[in-house]
Amino acid sequence: MSVGDEVLTQLPQPLRKLAPRSRELLKFAMVGASTFLIDTVIFFALKWTVLAPKPVTAKIIAVLVATIVSYVLNREWAFRTRGGKERHHEASLYFLFSGIAIGLYAAPLWVSRYLLHLQTPHTTPLVEEIADFTSGQVLGVLLGMAFRWWAFRRWVFPAQEPETTDHPGERCNVEPFPVERAAAGRAAAGDRGDEPDGAAHGPDEERDFPRPAAG
C-alpha cells in the first residue's frame, strides 16, 4: 500500500469518498507539507544566524531549496501520471512559475516588515517572531501554494492527450450487416453469370436443352 493510500484509510468516511477524486491534490499537499518543513527550518536557521538583519533574503533562499526538492517530489510522485513535455522544457516552466511563486511567498513578509514595521525596535521580539511566522510561513505559503497548484496543473504537468491511431481520411473497416452481405453476394453472382443454388426458373425462360427429333 502506498503512502497516499495509507493516508486515505485514516480519513473520516465522508472525506474518504471524496479523496480519491482529488488524489493529485492530496499528494501535492503532502509534498507541500514536506517542503514546508524544509522551508521553515532553513528560513529560521538563516534568520537566527548569518542573515539575521535580512529576513527576506533568508526567506528567498529557503524557498529556493524547498522548490528544488518540490520539483523532484512532484515530478516523480504527485504528477507522475501527467506531463507530455520534454524534461528540460518541463523543468524550465517549473522553475519559471516557482520563481513567480517566490515573490508571492515573500510578499506578506515584506509587507509585515517594511510597511507595517512589525519588527524591533518598533515592537517586541515576541511580536516580531509571531508576525514573521504568520506572514512568511502561513500567508505566504498559502498564497504561493495556491498559485503553484494552478500553474503546475495548467502549464507544467498538463494532462496527456490520448493517442489516436485514426488518421484523417482513413476509412473505418466496419463489418456489414447480414442483409448487406447477402445483397452484395447476389450482386457478385449476377456479375459472374451465376445463379444462387435452388433458384427457380420462370416458365418462359429459354433453356439450352436438347429437343427430341421430329417424326
Side-chain angles (χ1 to χ4, degrees):
M1 182 183 290
S2 67
V3 177
D5 293 331
E6 243 177 83
V7 172
L8 289 179
T9 59
Q10 303 300 321
L11 294 175
Q13 187 64 28
L15 293 178
R16 201 180 305 168
K17 293 179 180 178
L18 296 174
R21 302 175 190 175
S22 305
R23 190 176 294 270
E24 277 185 352
L25 179 58
L26 178 63
K27 291 181 177 180
F28 179 78
M30 293 174 67
V31 171
S34 303
T35 53
F36 171 79
L37 292 177
I38 295 172
D39 177 16
T40 302
V41 169
I42 294 176
F43 171 59
F44 281 103
L46 294 175
K47 178 178 172 294
W48 289 340
T49 55
V50 294
L51 291 176
K54 298 180 179 179
V56 175
T57 304
K59 180 62 182 175
I60 291 173
I61 293 174
V63 170
L64 282 173
V65 175
T67 298
I68 295 172
V69 176
S70 174
Y71 173 69
V72 176
L73 294 178
N74 278 314
R75 170 66 275 171
E76 302 301 329
W77 187 52
F79 299 109
R80 184 172 54 86
T81 58
R82 283 175 164 265
K85 301 179 182 296
E86 295 181 0
R87 185 57 61 90
H88 69 277
H89 186 199
E90 177 187 273
S92 300
L93 286 174
Y94 187 95
F95 287 103
L96 170 65
F97 286 112
S98 294
I100 297 173
I102 287 175
L104 297 176
Y105 276 108
L109 180 61
W110 186 87
V111 170
S112 174
R113 280 289 185 124
Y114 302 114
L115 290 184
L116 302 180
H117 301 289
L118 296 176
Q119 59 181 329
T120 56
H122 303 286
T123 187
T124 64
L126 178 60
V127 172
E128 177 184 298
E129 294 300 333
I130 293 174
D132 284 353
F133 182 82
T134 303
S135 59
Q137 300 305 111
V138 178
L139 297 178
V141 167
L142 290 176
L143 190 61
M145 284 192 67
F147 171 77
R148 281 153 57 91
W149 168 252
W150 170 80
F152 291 170
R153 282 173 54 87
R154 177 68 178 83
W155 302 104
V156 183
F157 305 116
Q160 291 183 350
E161 296 181 359
E163 295 182 1
T164 56
T165 55
D166 294 338
H167 300 284
E170 185 178 348
R171 298 183 61 183
C172 296
N173 225 353
V174 180
E175 183 71 16
F177 290 105
V179 176
E180 295 174 350
R181 287 203 303 269
R186 286 196 299 271
D191 291 342
R192 294 195 305 268
D194 300 335
E195 292 183 3
D197 294 341
H201 296 279
D204 297 332
E205 186 176 352
E206 215 175 292
R207 305 179 184 226
D208 195 13
F209 288 141
R211 297 174 181 244

